[in-house]
Amino acid sequence: MLIFLQASPLLLLVAVLAARRGGPLAPVLAALALAVPAAAASLAGGASLIPFLLTEALRGAWLALAPAAITAAGLLFHEAVTGEAEAQQAVPRARSHAELFTAVFLLGPFFETVTGFGIGVVFSLSAMRRLGVPAPAAAALSLLSQVLIPWGALGPGTLLGAALAGVDLRAFGAWTSAASAAWLLLLLPLFWRLAREAGLSGTVRERAGDAITMVVLVTLLVGANLLATVEVAGLIALSPPLLVRLFREGRGVPDARARRAALPYLALSLLLLATRLVPPVQAALTAHGMLRPYPDLPGIATLHHPATMLALVALPVLAVRSEGRWAALARAAARARMPIILLFLYVVLARWLGASGAAASLAGALAASAGPVAMPFVTPVLGAAGGFFTGTNVGSNSILMPIQSALAGKQGFPPAFLPALQNFTGSALCILAPMRISATAALAADGTTEADLYRRLWWTGAAALLAALGWIAALRLG
């Protein structure tokens, strides 16, 4: 009975999402209502419910502030550069399959790797619109930009996971990248199907080019994690194929207007890389303006925050406009409102279930019911559930990694292997997390529904589990 009560918020969340009733807020509000009794039943003896709910809601609001700021600043940047590009574009660019692949698997993940918090979706969605991709394929393809979440924002969730598991960071990153490599290759058929829906199916030669580029990317990803660290592995893996693709696509004649339209993207990339990969610059920016109301939660270095970098580039671009500045600000604010509300509510839900012990109790019950033979195969399922319901690999690792690492010690695998699968599946299923699906549908603002996205993207979750289970079977049989 207790397990059912603890699971009821998540079960109701899925049911309301499937029913497609009540708008984007209905599923999370319904889940929050049931999370109250679930938390009350899970709290340790003597803990008071009302203070717990208020405290964790405030802590959740703090955790939501950083990604919310990036979402708002990313939308501001989007409005700024979209207006700039439209003002200077003399001749529409031809739509191409190659550009679609670059936007989905290289450029979007590049921004996600540098900034994190789903901002790659904003850039990819902008690219989908420039390419004329119809709804809801545009939103679905934009979500595929999240394929490198373990290295998003230079890998804080992966760093946390390795620390909680007490394993070697390089081995942890390498196993995470090995699972991701198999997954990325399995996602190519899904991309080709969505490209066909977008009217950019590509030729046999172009699809072969996609496959070759993907093989190069996953090879670089594994190598970078073996030879470098997770903080820069994503950038190292993405940069060569991205530069090659951009060079090939730009061979046409990059005129002055095209170069000027690209300047904000170049400025943002250089600013983000300089503030994260140059130690003196990073140290100077993080030494001042640090906000940390909760010692046990991540702080916000305001001068170093990705939202600050986005605003530093977007505001001057808007300032030089002759007209439409205030309208662009108003559009960005209007589009940010619903995603930020959803983000806050889902993080509060995760805090209530996680901090009360309900999530850990559910994970423990699932593990206990599996038995010793099936136990290794439960690891990716738990990780997937964590990613699906928290929407971040930080949240999934925070809740489940202590349990996963304790269970992994008895299975006879390399020490970092099963914890890395927790990190991988928890990250992969973030694409299907209700908070990300709802926020992306709200960002698209083109009639796309959550159900539209789940129908198109369910294979991302199935392929992630298939990749993880395949690795477990290979090592078990080997």
Side-chain angles (χ1 to χ4, degrees), residues 71-462:
T71 298
L75 287 168
L76 177 65
F77 181 88
H78 167 72
E79 288 291 339
V81 298
T82 299
E84 179 73 5
E86 289 173 352
Q88 299 183 46
Q89 189 176 12
V91 180
R93 294 185 63 179
R95 302 167 71 232
S96 75
H97 177 89
E99 280 190 284
L100 185 67
F101 180 92
T102 300
V104 170
F105 286 120
L106 298 174
L107 194 57
F110 175 82
F111 284 111
E112 182 65 24
T113 298
V114 176
T115 64
F117 301 109
I119 202 63
V121 172
V122 177
F123 289 99
S124 295
L125 192 57
S126 175
M128 295 305 104
R129 286 174 172 148
R130 288 197 304 273
L131 290 170
V133 177
L141 285 163
S142 298
L143 276 165
L144 286 182
S145 69
Q146 305 295 284
V147 291
L148 295 186
I149 282 178
W151 300 273
L154 307 183
T158 299
L159 292 170
L160 174 65
L164 289 173
V167 298
D168 178 71
L169 177 60
R170 190 162 292 177
F172 187 76
W175 280 118
T176 301
S177 64
S180 297
W183 181 51
L184 285 166
L185 294 172
L186 289 171
L187 290 182
L188 274 175
L190 171 62
F191 167 74
W192 290 329
R193 187 181 69 77
L194 290 172
R196 185 167 60 251
E197 183 179 343
L200 295 168
S201 58
T203 63
V204 173
R205 182 175 180 178
E206 286 174 320
R207 292 190 180 195
D210 296 344
I212 292 170
T213 301
M214 189 65 84
V215 170
V216 171
L217 174 60
V218 300
T219 302
L220 289 171
L221 185 62
V222 174
N225 279 275
L226 285 171
L227 301 175
T229 62
V230 296
E231 294 96 329
V232 295
L235 293 175
I236 292 172
L238 284 164
S239 295
L242 176 59
L243 290 173
V244 169
R245 280 270 183 160
L246 290 177
F247 176 77
R248 291 179 60 191
E249 293 164 16
R251 282 182 304 180
V253 185
D255 59 18
R257 286 188 175 92
R259 290 194 298 270
R260 183 177 172 185
L263 280 177
Y265 293 97
L266 178 61
L268 178 62
S269 299
L270 293 175
L271 187 60
L272 287 166
L273 288 171
T275 55
R276 279 146 180 79
L277 300 182
V278 180
V281 176
Q282 184 177 21
L285 293 176
T286 54
H288 305 284
M290 174 64 76
L291 302 177
R292 194 163 199 165
Y294 301 101
D296 60 327
L297 295 181
I300 296 178
T302 55
L303 299 179
H304 186 254
H305 197 263
T308 304
M309 309 304 153
L310 286 160
L312 283 174
V313 177
L315 290 175
V317 173
L318 283 175
V320 299
R321 277 195 191 178
S322 58
E323 59 183 17
R325 292 187 293 269
W326 297 110
L329 288 170
R331 285 194 301 270
R335 292 185 64 196
R337 181 177 61 87
M338 183 57 70
I340 288 174
I341 291 172
L342 288 167
L343 177 63
F344 166 74
L345 293 176
Y346 275 109
V347 173
V348 170
L349 175 64
R351 291 299 307 179
W352 284 359
L353 295 179
S356 67
S361 178
L362 285 171
L366 178 59
S369 65
V373 175
M375 188 62 252
F377 298 94
V378 172
T379 290
V381 177
L382 287 177
F388 179 81
F389 291 115
T390 66
T392 70
N393 70 333
V394 172
S396 176
N397 285 342
S398 297
I399 294 171
L400 295 174
M401 189 60 79
I403 297 173
Q404 296 276 40
S405 59
L407 295 172
K410 305 175 182 179
Q411 302 303 315
F413 291 99
F417 175 64
L418 288 178
L421 290 189
Q422 151 68 36
N423 185 48
F424 161 66
T425 53
S427 301
L429 267 290
C430 288
I431 290 179
L432 298 178
M435 62 186 293
R436 288 186 184 249
I437 291 287
S438 297
T440 302
L443 279 171
D446 56 9
T448 298
T449 66
E450 290 90 342
D452 291 331
L453 295 178
Y454 279 120
R455 278 198 299 271
R456 285 164 175 78
L457 294 174
W458 65 268
W459 174 245
T460 61

